[in-house]
Amino acid sequence: MEVNGGAWEFWVEEVLSKLQSLNVLRSLRLIHLLAGAARRSTSAENSPSNLNRFFDGPNKWDRASVEVEISESTFRKWIHDVPSSGDDNDIVDDDVRADDKAEAIDGKLRKLIVFSGNDYLGLSSHPMVSNAAIKAAQEHGMGPRGSALICGYTTYHRLLESSLANLKRKEDCLLCPTGFSANMAFMTAVGNVGLLVAGGKPSKDDRVAIFSDALNHASIIDGIRLAERQGNAVAFVYRHADMCHLDALLSSCPMKKRVVVTDRLMQHLFCGKSGGGAAEMFNCEADVDICIGTLGKAAGCHGGFIACRTRTTEA
């Protein structure tokens, strides 16, 4: 596709102007990470016996997961809700300067405590996690060397999948790059059930009925929309946590292939005796066919997973 350069630039400016009027321009808040508190701890505090103990209160490394520094220019743009490119050298608007002259912008950094992060348990800065990552990088280098389908699926990936399957009390587990991609992959795969079973475009009643909580995550909603766009699924939205409304929708649905999807994002590693989640806490793990989770929040890392029966992962 060929586009006249001048026309393209004009369109981009038009779009940016519209986004700015809606106050939705992309904005990055550049943060400076402090030196790991774990490295400042004493050797006694970092001993295996101390690191393996149960949580009995905040430790020095816990603060490293919430303590950051930002430049003065970024701070002023932040508090005035001014879009930022993520560059510490951004020029601060005159309006911002006029409203806030308390401190000169001289390259100094402000220390902040972040309460909006996802590292709920502080595992990203825990010495055991850091030391394990260092050891793995030293022994095996960085990077997956390829996609999982080619040469990037290692014994360590399999070990992680097995551990997550055990945690969720499922037969098997499939790793994904992110929690978002895990939800997207699963919802589109669910939609394809009707397509594959029908051997072609499914009829109206052969499609998959997906019952989605009104407050489900955007990744679930996007996956459902894609399945609907492909003509393989139909979405039914029930009021948040309203089981009476869900039951009414299920009872009146003529479609035989039905899937109920609900989002419990904060429960992984938080709920249950072993951290298996809400299903473990309420002793209903056998009633949950598929568990989808993220490793980018409580686990303090990145990635996503789908825990289910072995036959499901093969599909």
Side-chain angles (χ1 to χ4, degrees):
M1 181 180 72
E2 294 185 7
V3 179
N4 180 278
W8 176 255
E9 292 298 328
F10 174 77
W11 297 335
V12 169
E13 291 300 324
E14 287 284 298
V15 170
L16 289 175
S17 178
K18 181 63 175 180
L19 292 175
Q20 187 170 14
S21 68
L22 297 173
N23 197 29
V24 291
L25 275 178
R26 173 176 177 266
S27 187
L28 298 175
R29 311 301 189 190
L30 184 67
I31 65 172
H32 297 253
L33 298 176
L34 300 179
R39 291 191 292 274
R40 297 196 299 270
S41 302
T42 65
S43 57
E45 289 173 324
N46 281 335
S47 66
S49 59
N50 279 335
L51 295 180
N52 283 316
R53 69 187 179 212
F54 289 105
F55 178 81
D56 57 1
N59 288 285
K60 290 183 178 180
W61 54 77
D62 291 312
R63 195 163 183 90
S65 65
V66 295
E67 197 171 68
V68 302
E69 291 181 332
I70 65 172
S71 70
E72 187 66 25
S73 63
T74 297
F75 175 75
R76 296 201 180 184
K77 283 179 174 289
W78 200 332
I79 62 175
H80 288 280
D81 200 23
V82 176
S84 170
S85 68
D87 189 343
D88 273 342
N89 297 318
D90 272 355
I91 298 174
V92 178
D93 296 352
D94 290 338
D95 291 340
V96 174
R97 289 181 183 275
D99 291 341
D100 185 3
K101 295 184 178 179
E103 205 170 334
I105 300 174
D106 56 4
K108 291 195 301 183
L109 298 175
R110 285 178 177 260
K111 185 178 293 185
L112 299 180
I113 303 299
V114 178
F115 291 98
S116 58
N118 294 328
D119 188 17
Y120 310 128
L121 300 180
L123 292 179
S124 70
S125 56
H126 194 285
M128 283 190 70
V129 177
S130 300
N131 292 338
I134 292 170
K135 181 181 179 182
Q138 289 176 334
E139 292 182 357
H140 307 292
M142 294 295 294
R145 300 180 177 85
S147 70
L149 291 175
I150 302 174
C151 59
Y153 185 67
T154 69
T155 53
Y156 292 103
H157 292 91
R158 186 56 196 158
L159 179 60
L160 176 56
E161 288 177 336
S162 299
S163 299
L164 290 168
N166 291 335
L167 178 66
K168 292 298 184 178
R169 307 287 177 85
K170 301 301 176 195
E171 293 180 1
D172 209 345
C173 180
L174 180 67
L175 286 177
C176 297
T178 63
F180 199 108
S181 65
N183 274 330
M184 284 285 291
F186 173 73
M187 297 316 307
T188 52
V190 165
N192 286 333
V193 168
L195 176 68
L196 294 172
V197 171
K201 202 70 172 178
S203 64
K204 183 177 180 180
D205 289 341
D206 283 335
R207 291 178 295 177
V208 178
I210 302 176
F211 297 85
S212 176
D213 188 290
L215 296 186
N216 273 344
H217 191 264
S219 56
I220 298 175
I221 296 172
D222 284 352
I224 293 174
R225 285 174 176 169
L226 180 57
E228 281 192 300
R229 182 179 289 272
Q230 293 172 339
N232 302 327
V234 180
F236 299 88
V237 179
Y238 62 92
R239 291 185 293 270
H240 176 56
D242 189 334
M243 296 300 98
C244 291
H245 188 209
L246 173 60
D247 183 64
L249 291 175
L250 286 167
S251 300
S252 60
C253 179
M255 304 163 72
K256 295 181 179 180
K257 302 179 184 69
R258 307 173 188 176
V259 177
V260 178
V261 184
T262 185
D263 184 2
R264 291 292 177 267
L265 192 63
M266 307 301 181
Q267 49 85 21
H268 181 55
L269 296 183
F270 273 85
C271 303
K273 186 177 181 180
S274 60
E280 180 189 22
M281 184 171 69
F282 292 106
N283 195 29
C284 61
E285 292 163 303
D287 299 321
V288 179
D289 298 301
I290 299 172
C291 293
I292 303 173
T294 177
L295 302 175
K297 295 184 182 294
C301 192
H302 65 88
F305 65 89
I306 303 171
C308 52
R309 295 177 60 243
T310 301
R311 295 292 288 170
T312 304
T313 61
E314 292 174 352

